[in-house]
Amino acid sequence: MSPRRPAPLFSIVTPVYDPPLDVLKECIESVLAQDFDGWEMILVDDFSPSAAVPTVINQYSRQDARIRLVERDTNGHIVVASNDGVELAQGEFIALLDHDDLLAPTALSRVASVIAEHDDVDYVYTDEDKVGEDGRTYGAFHKPDWSPERLRGQMYTSHLSVLRTELVREVGGFREGFEGSQDHDLVLRVTERARRVVHVPEVLYHWRAVEGSTAVDIEAKPYANDAGLRAVQEHLDRVGIAGRTVAGAEPGRYTVERDLDPARRVSLVIPTMGQSAVIHGASRFLVVDAVRSALECTDHEDVEVVVVHDAPTPAGVLDQLREVAGDRLVLVPFDAPFNFSTKMNLGVSHASGERIVFLNDDVEAISHGWLEQLVAPLDEPDVGLTGAKLYYADQTVQHAGHAYFNAGYHHPFRFRTRDEAGPFGELFVSREVTGVTAACAAMRRETYFEVGGFTETLPGNFNDVDLCYKVAAAGLRTLFIANSELYHYESQTRVAEVAEQERLAVVSRWGTPTEDAYLRSELAMPNLRRVKELPVDLFDGA
Amino acid sequence: MTHEGTTSVDHGRGYYDQAHLDGRGDYSWDDEHWRDFFMSVADRLIGAFAPASVLDVGCGRGLLVQALTVQGVDASGLDISEHAVATAHADVRDRLAVASATAPIEGRYDLVTCIEVLEHMSATDAQLAIDRLTAVTDRVLFSSSPDPHGEPTHVNTQPGEAWAAWFAERGFFRRTDVDLSMITPWAVVFERGELTPHEIVRRYEQQYARVRTELLDKRRALLDADRAVNSLRERLDEGPADAEEVERLRAEVAQHRHAVLVSRDHVIGLEAENGRLQRDLSVVLPELRKLQRRVTVLTKRREELTAKLQDTRQRLERNRKRVAQLEAPPAPQASLTRRVARRVRRTFA
């Protein structure tokens, strides 16, 4: 543990415009109830129509000198009012609190304690829930740890956000023209420069759900969605990601459509035994369909198809593959007992592309540009692995990223339908995940060799889990790509049999997973009966 | 002499020390290179013709005259350059004279040498010079550079056949059997002779045929070489023989890459396992220490209690005895008579 620094001063900035007075009082009371003293509260009254608003605030500031009222002569809207508060802030950090929301009593002390652990913390965000008119809280959003890709798809960090004052001023504070998504825009600009971003996985903020507030419905403020699109697009332009931001499947969600450099050679590596199966009522060679659809659904031209085929693969399959892939086909024969990892490692060893896409032979591409969207994020040097969104033949979700918790490796959101968003947009938004399935995933070739590929000690199961752990151990992010969609006719090709030995092999390397960093078990599996852990203080006391 | 030719002034110090013969400095007998060169020229001439007397026309500093003299030949020289004759080696200066090659020559010689001289003279003077030197000998060693640009003083360069024809006019013909290309590539020996056309044709045909045959052989060899290069180039382009090798090497590369992947995974797996064990250890060790402390406390406590127990047991034992004592029936008393009797016995004992 690093030596403790003196606790910071927080400047709570609250723009106020015409709130119900009791709600405003509750908001201020929640600050006064903090179990931490190092704060000032700057309430900027944005020329509220009712004179009672400044009167109430003045009453509080007479009680407690840490509470300050700033009165504006004109109504400047939220950006201008917030910037007035930022300008006056004397604290090392700015905490943003809306005039009708509540802080949990430990909010500032918990944030102060994580700031104390490192001296380069520039941004802290916490979990949040909603508080209804009856005062009851609900809808807790257990957020992922710092996820820059997810922040491009939605303003997930939201409340409580605590930002280093110096950095807020350096980036120029809130920007006019981004009203409704001004906090998303600010956090994007701050995190582009932040040295360290910390997530406190505790609900420390209660967001009041009142009709007309974004907590209830972002559609109430359509201009907010538009501002969000622009905020994300400008962020992409600033950080040099070539692509477009388009509206996501629901308000407040954004889809980044990246461009893939046409000069990048991509190698699809596909292990197969050349099985046929009945899909949608017709008998087909799976691998041929996989390759055909994969090539049809992409505009990228420099694609190599490396097929690692078992000796019993029917000659007809190989002929059809040659027909479909032409001179882009590289055949690698394999005649050892089944070992998925060995087949993949062999395939990659024969591949010539800078980017490797693992593809099971029982997939079929759905979305046009699946390859571009899957591969392009790998141009970010700290992205090590990307995985696609996979569906069963009936269009229910088979894979939307893995989560490792409660001593197990899970497929959250399995069997959800294709039009479901997930509790907080998890199925529509590309985001950081702990793991992805190897059925359709992509890596830089150099990363694959750096981490030693798939472990051949795991021939059937969990080799992808091990790979994801290795990528994370190398300090690289793994992304679930929501707009790279394919079918995965999983049960068609392999009987899923998990040997206990396979689970142990993973655990012996990486330990037993307790809680997932990116998808909390409370969200992934709300009805989970947790594995009982022996309390640490079991042996305490005499 | 006409204005077209060169004069003594043109062959001063600068000519000898810098320009002449590639500007190789110090053109003198004392220079080992030049001395060795002219000694070997003299060897060749003596070996081929064993002349008793030699005149070197255009002798420069008389290096050839000196080389011949050293080997016992009565040699002398003449040169237009006053500088050259004046700077000649002392041993040979007396044998040299300043004179133009166009002037009549006195005496009679077994051999007249005229090396790289006539190209420095006008065409008319050169003809006159040929007249002069063919008048005093039957054998001429002749060399005249066909290169018009080698030296600025080359005012009258002519191809070799022109000189040969001019000598032929004076009844001198080439010795086709003598090769003196060691002096210059175009050095020739002309000899006076009454040659019939038959003999001349025979001599030249002999050389011509040999050269022609050689030329044809070389042309054929060149064609063969060209064909071989083309065929190799084609094989390189098609590369049917190499394709297999390339394929084999490619497979080998893939095999090694695979091996790299497997060992890398092995190492990373071990590192991960090590990390996991360290974490486990960091959890287990404090627990162990806690338990050890507890064991110490409990052991101490046990010892205290054992001691206390022992103490209590001892007290219990004592108390038991006391109780037993107290509870035991009193010992039966002796009868009054016997007690009195004992008292009396003790008293009077």
Side-chain angles (χ1 to χ4, degrees):
Chain A
M1 195 109 170
S2 53
R4 292 196 91 76
R5 279 162 285 278
L9 176 70
F10 293 104
S11 295
I12 300 166
V13 172
T14 305
V16 181
Y17 182 73
D18 201 24
L21 292 183
D22 54 335
V23 160
L24 176 63
K25 285 178 186 171
E26 279 184 50
C27 171
I28 299 173
E29 298 281 354
S30 79
V31 174
L32 287 167
Q34 290 300 302
D35 64 353
F36 180 86
D37 294 330
W39 55 265
E40 60 169 356
M41 186 179 194
I42 303 169
L43 294 123
V44 183
D45 179 39
D46 195 14
F47 201 54
S48 292
S50 161
V53 170
T55 308
V56 166
I57 299 172
N58 265 326
Q59 277 166 6
Y60 279 104
S61 68
R62 272 195 296 277
Q63 270 176 44
D64 193 320
R66 291 175 296 178
I67 297 176
R68 299 162 66 191
L69 168 66
V70 178
E71 284 187 88
R72 289 184 48 80
D73 299 336
T74 55
N75 178 262
H77 209 323
I78 189 151
V79 166
V80 176
S82 301
N83 277 340
D84 284 353
V86 168
E87 204 174 306
L88 293 169
Q90 293 174 333
E92 202 182 334
F93 288 90
I94 288 173
L96 300 173
L97 174 61
D98 287 352
H99 65 198
D100 49 2
D101 296 345
L102 306 173
L103 287 185
T106 56
L108 295 182
S109 62
R110 290 294 299 121
V111 172
S113 75
V114 300
I115 287 171
E117 282 173 29
H118 303 280
D119 56 5
D120 57 353
V121 176
D122 286 336
Y123 177 47
V124 181
Y125 63 95
T126 75
D127 292 350
E128 66 190 284
D129 60 12
K130 292 174 191 169
V131 54
E133 289 178 45
D134 58 357
R136 279 194 294 184
T137 57
Y138 65 98
F141 182 8
H142 299 285
K143 298 173 187 174
D145 285 352
W146 172 226
S147 301
E149 182 63 21
R150 188 162 187 181
L151 189 61
R152 290 168 188 144
Q154 69 186 116
M155 177 41 181
Y156 86 92
T157 58
S158 199
H159 303 301
L160 171 66
S161 276
V162 179
L163 309 102
R164 190 176 284 276
T165 311
E166 195 187 326
L167 194 51
V168 172
R169 292 193 178 133
E170 192 183 308
V171 302
F174 292 98
R175 287 200 296 173
E176 285 187 71
F178 289 88
E179 280 81 3
S181 288
Q182 75 283 348
D183 50 352
H184 194 183
D185 177 57
L186 177 67
V187 167
L188 282 167
R189 284 179 293 128
V190 163
T191 53
E192 282 164 25
R193 301 195 193 183
R195 294 161 299 167
R196 186 185 294 269
V197 178
V198 182
H199 166 223
V200 181
E202 295 169 44
V203 175
L204 299 175
Y205 192 98
H206 310 294
W207 194 5
R208 190 171 302 271
V210 186
E211 285 305 316
S213 85
T214 45
V216 170
D217 191 356
I218 196 169
E219 279 175 289
K221 298 178 183 171
Y223 60 86
N225 204 41
D226 184 55
L229 276 175
R230 275 186 291 117
V232 174
Q233 183 63 50
E234 289 194 10
H235 157 76
L236 296 183
D237 296 345
R238 280 191 304 272
V239 300
I241 292 175
R244 292 153 309 287
T245 312
V246 299
E250 54 181 17
R253 315 280 180 247
Y254 315 105
T255 300
V256 175
E257 291 178 350
R258 284 175 163 89
D259 299 330
L260 176 59
D261 180 356
R264 289 251 185 269
R265 167 167 289 192
V266 179
S267 296
L268 310 181
V269 177
I270 310 170
T272 188
M273 281 165 39
Q275 309 93 315
S276 55
V278 176
I279 307 240
H280 296 306
S283 174
R284 308 189 291 190
F285 286 127
L286 288 169
V287 66
V288 176
D289 282 354
V291 172
R292 183 185 291 121
S293 71
L295 295 178
E296 274 172 5
C297 289
T298 180
D299 296 324
H300 193 69
E301 284 180 2
D302 199 355
V303 181
E304 176 187 58
V305 181
V306 181
V307 175
V308 186
H309 62 96
D310 281 13
T313 302
V317 174
L318 300 184
D319 288 343
Q320 285 189 28
L321 278 174
R322 283 189 195 97
E323 222 170 90
V324 171
D327 57 4
R328 304 196 269 185
L329 182 67
V330 175
L331 288 174
V332 181
F334 182 78
D335 57 3
F338 175 78
N339 186 326
F340 172 84
S341 299
T342 307
K343 288 176 95 171
M344 293 308 291
N345 286 347
L346 268 180
V348 176
S349 298
H350 281 85
S352 63
E354 298 166 84
R355 300 288 182 264
I356 306 291
V357 174
F358 319 133
L359 211 56
N360 278 14
D361 65 351
D362 54 353
V363 300
E364 187 179 343
I366 302 173
S367 60
H368 196 87
W370 72 277
L371 182 74
E372 288 88 334
Q373 297 314 312
L374 187 68
V375 171
L378 295 167
D379 285 350
E380 284 181 65
D382 66 334
V383 172
L385 177 62
T386 58
K389 187 178 181 184
L390 304 177
Y391 301 94
Y392 291 110
D394 63 359
Q395 295 217 343
T396 57
V397 170
Q398 187 262 326
H399 172 265
H402 285 159
Y404 306 159
F405 55 81
N406 197 39
Y409 313 107
H410 306 275
H411 278 271
F413 311 124
R414 196 188 272 229
F415 305 123
R416 301 248 181 165
T417 56
R418 195 179 169 190
D419 55 1
E420 276 187 87
F424 293 92
E426 286 84 352
L427 290 169
F428 285 166
V429 170
S430 294
R431 58 195 165 82
E432 282 71 8
V433 290
T434 303
V436 292
T437 177
C440 180
M443 284 179 89
R444 277 187 298 274
R445 174 203 177 75
E446 69 201 58
T447 310
Y448 190 86
F449 277 89
E450 186 190 324
V451 304
F454 287 97
T455 183
E456 300 187 11
T457 55
L458 291 168
N461 296 293
F462 300 135
N463 34 50
D464 47 3
V465 172
D466 178 76
L467 181 71
C468 295
Y469 270 120
K470 288 200 281 191
V471 167
L476 301 171
R477 291 184 288 143
T478 295
L479 301 184
F480 159 68
I481 306 296
N483 58 340
S484 178
E485 297 174 295
L486 300 90
Y487 287 113
H488 185 204
Y489 309 118
E490 192 187 31
S491 56
Q492 313 284 354
T493 50
R494 198 158 52 83
V495 185
E497 249 179 77
V498 178
E500 189 53 25
Q501 171 269 332
E502 292 179 300
R503 195 183 295 275
L504 283 176
V506 180
V507 169
S508 75
R509 277 188 176 188
W510 308 105
T512 309
T514 53
E515 183 53 276
D516 195 89
Y518 296 109
L519 191 68
R520 303 286 154 171
S521 52
E522 294 98 321
L523 283 186
M525 217 176 274
N527 302 320
L528 176 74
R529 265 183 61 209
R530 302 194 68 79
V531 167
K532 287 273 179 238
E533 284 172 47
L534 294 176
V536 177
D537 59 353
L538 183 69
F539 305 101
D540 272 355
Chain B
M1 278 186 75
T2 71
H3 67 280
E4 291 163 324
T6 56
T7 65
S8 173
V9 180
D10 297 324
H11 301 96
R13 183 182 301 279
Y15 177 84
Y16 283 101
D17 288 351
Q18 282 151 36
H20 196 59
L21 290 164
D22 302 329
R24 205 180 186 289
D26 199 19
Y27 179 73
S28 78
W29 185 254
D30 294 328
D31 182 85
E32 194 183 352
H33 166 82
W34 289 118
R35 194 172 60 237
D36 286 351
F37 173 72
F38 282 105
M39 285 298 280
S40 57
V41 172
D43 282 344
R44 290 268 55 71
L45 296 178
I46 293 164
F49 310 112
S53 58
V54 176
L55 173 68
D56 187 17
V57 177
C59 63
R61 284 174 173 154
L63 269 62
L64 178 59
V65 173
Q66 193 160 356
L68 288 164
T69 309
V70 167
Q71 301 198 46
V73 179
D74 178 16
S76 55
L78 56 89
D79 200 283
I80 193 169
S81 170
E82 289 166 22
H83 164 81
V85 172
T87 55
H89 196 273
D91 292 352
V92 78
R93 201 173 301 143
D94 291 348
R95 294 178 169 274
L96 309 183
V98 176
S100 167
T102 53
I105 301 166
E106 282 184 16
R108 181 90 198 156
Y109 304 93
D110 290 347
L111 174 67
V112 171
T113 58
C114 181
I115 301 170
E116 304 298 286
V117 177
L118 297 202
E119 68 270 27
H120 298 273
M121 303 171 74
S122 71
T124 327
D125 286 351
Q127 290 300 331
L128 190 53
I130 296 172
D131 284 340
R132 298 296 186 206
L133 55 95
T134 51
V136 295
T137 186
D138 295 334
R139 185 179 285 138
V140 180
L141 164 61
F142 182 79
S143 172
S144 176
S145 173
D147 173 10
H149 309 299
E151 295 174 29
T153 51
H154 284 184
V155 295
N156 182 33
T157 54
Q158 300 291 342
E161 66 266 26
W163 298 114
W166 288 322
F167 273 94
E169 287 172 18
R170 287 140 175 113
F172 280 72
F173 300 97
R174 177 173 186 151
R175 278 283 294 267
T176 53
D177 57 339
V178 176
D179 179 12
L180 288 171
S181 59
M182 60 152 311
I183 302 171
T184 63
W186 45 85
V188 184
V189 174
F190 293 114
E191 252 179 38
R192 192 190 302 278
E194 300 282 326
L195 295 191
T196 58
H198 171 96
E199 179 61 15
I200 295 169
V201 170
R202 197 190 62 75
R203 279 195 192 176
Y204 276 93
E205 272 302 321
Q206 188 184 41
Q207 297 303 317
Y208 172 73
R210 204 189 70 207
V211 171
R212 169 115 185 119
T213 307
E214 191 179 318
L215 178 67
L216 289 180
D217 283 351
K218 283 182 175 164
R219 273 188 189 160
R220 197 171 297 119
L222 181 65
L223 184 63
D224 287 348
D226 187 50
R227 281 176 182 159
V229 165
N230 283 339
S231 130
L232 283 172
R233 199 168 278 153
E234 274 167 29
R235 272 171 64 193
L236 209 60
D237 290 344
E238 295 166 5
D242 281 349
E244 259 174 50
E245 176 71 358
V246 168
E247 206 44 55
R248 194 185 62 73
L249 288 172
R250 198 169 275 156
E252 207 170 297
V253 167
Q255 198 184 335
H256 286 297
R257 279 182 182 157
H258 186 198
V260 165
L261 282 174
V262 173
S263 5
R264 189 97 188 100
D265 170 68
H266 187 61
V267 170
I268 288 179
L270 288 174
E271 282 170 355
E273 197 162 342
N274 184 38
R276 198 264 304 166
L277 289 169
Q278 288 286 355
R279 283 194 303 278
D280 286 358
L281 202 62
S282 69
V283 171
V284 168
L285 273 181
E287 261 173 37
L288 180 67
R289 273 197 290 275
K290 210 183 285 176
L291 286 174
Q292 279 172 338
R293 279 198 298 275
R294 180 112 184 89
V295 165
T296 314
V297 169
L298 287 174
T299 309
K300 203 176 151 202
R301 189 86 196 280
R302 192 187 65 191
E303 279 164 6
E304 284 168 13
L305 288 174
T306 310
K308 214 169 165 186
L309 182 67
Q310 223 119 38
D311 189 43
T312 311
R313 270 196 186 131
Q314 280 169 9
R315 284 201 341 246
L316 183 67
E317 198 54 36
R318 280 201 301 273
N319 289 340
R320 258 197 199 125
K321 275 183 190 157
R322 182 96 184 98
V323 168
Q325 257 175 12
L326 290 174
E327 281 181 352
Q333 293 269 329
S335 68
L336 183 62
T337 355
R338 290 183 68 173
R339 271 187 286 166
V340 171
R342 205 155 53 196
R343 175 82 51 93
V344 170
R345 253 198 323 271
R346 250 184 252 150
T347 312
F348 299 99

